[in-house]
Amino acid sequence: MENIKISFDIIQHDFSKAGEASSNIKKVLKQLGIPSDTVRKAAVATYEAEMNIIIHSEGGVIELTVDVDKVKVVAKDKGPGIKDISLAMKEGYSTATSEIRELGFGAGMGLPNMKRCSDCFDIQSSESSPTIVTMIIYLKKAND
């Protein structure tokens, strides 16, 4: 399989398109014959990243790369950055506003779920800077 690369623009507070990137990634991975457990993990991780960009940032992009041994999702936002990554990684911690919580979001599970669904997880951020989350899910070989 040759490398497949697709990117999706994510717009701040555009809840009308929330989930489109993750849905499209799920569709592409299924068409490529990627195993269903990998598709599910990638879709969940991407959805969480997508919602974090919509809710907490000034917009951004999600990039999907698929090659012979892995699915890689990179979520890049335009800021404002995460003040304390270790705190943000704790289940239940959220900086979502009451308006966002009233919409049913902001439970503080986004980053922990992204990490849980990834074989490799990396987050780069600091206050007043963009956040870049890289998630890799390895494809299992037929004899694994």
Side-chain angles (χ1 to χ4, degrees):
M1 170 189 341
E2 80 178 58
N3 284 2
I4 307 279
K5 290 186 179 192
I6 305 171
S7 68
F8 303 89
D9 289 326
I10 311 299
I11 300 168
Q12 176 186 30
H13 297 151
D14 189 354
F15 291 97
S16 68
K17 293 190 176 150
E20 278 188 12
S22 54
S23 179
N24 286 327
I25 284 174
K26 182 177 181 179
K27 206 176 301 179
V28 166
L29 294 177
K30 281 183 173 183
Q31 289 171 346
L32 291 171
I34 301 296
S36 60
D37 63 322
T38 302
V39 172
R40 182 188 56 76
K41 288 177 185 179
V44 169
T46 302
Y47 179 79
E48 296 288 10
E50 187 175 359
M51 293 312 300
N52 274 1
I53 292 172
I54 289 170
I55 293 168
H56 298 289
S57 80
E58 298 163 10
V61 66
I62 292 179
E63 300 168 342
L64 169 70
T65 305
V66 183
D67 63 30
V68 295
D69 65 345
K70 67 184 171 295
V71 171
K72 179 178 174 183
V73 176
V74 178
K76 301 176 187 176
D77 73 24
K78 298 175 186 171
I82 299 171
K83 188 175 187 176
D84 184 338
I85 292 175
S86 62
L87 189 57
M89 290 300 300
K90 291 187 178 176
E91 290 188 11
Y93 176 79
S94 177
T95 58
T97 64
S98 57
E99 292 82 16
I100 296 296
R101 291 175 193 265
E102 287 171 17
L103 292 173
F105 302 107
M109 294 303 294
L111 289 171
N113 280 341
M114 285 183 243
K115 184 174 183 179
R116 191 175 298 113
C117 290
S118 305
D119 293 317
C120 292
F121 177 86
D122 180 68
I123 182 168
Q124 300 294 318
S125 187
S126 60
E127 198 171 12
S128 302
S129 70
T131 299
I132 301 171
V133 177
T134 303
M135 300 167 282
I136 296 173
I137 304 164
Y138 292 107
L139 300 176
K140 306 263 190 270
K141 303 293 180 219
N143 57 0
D144 283 352

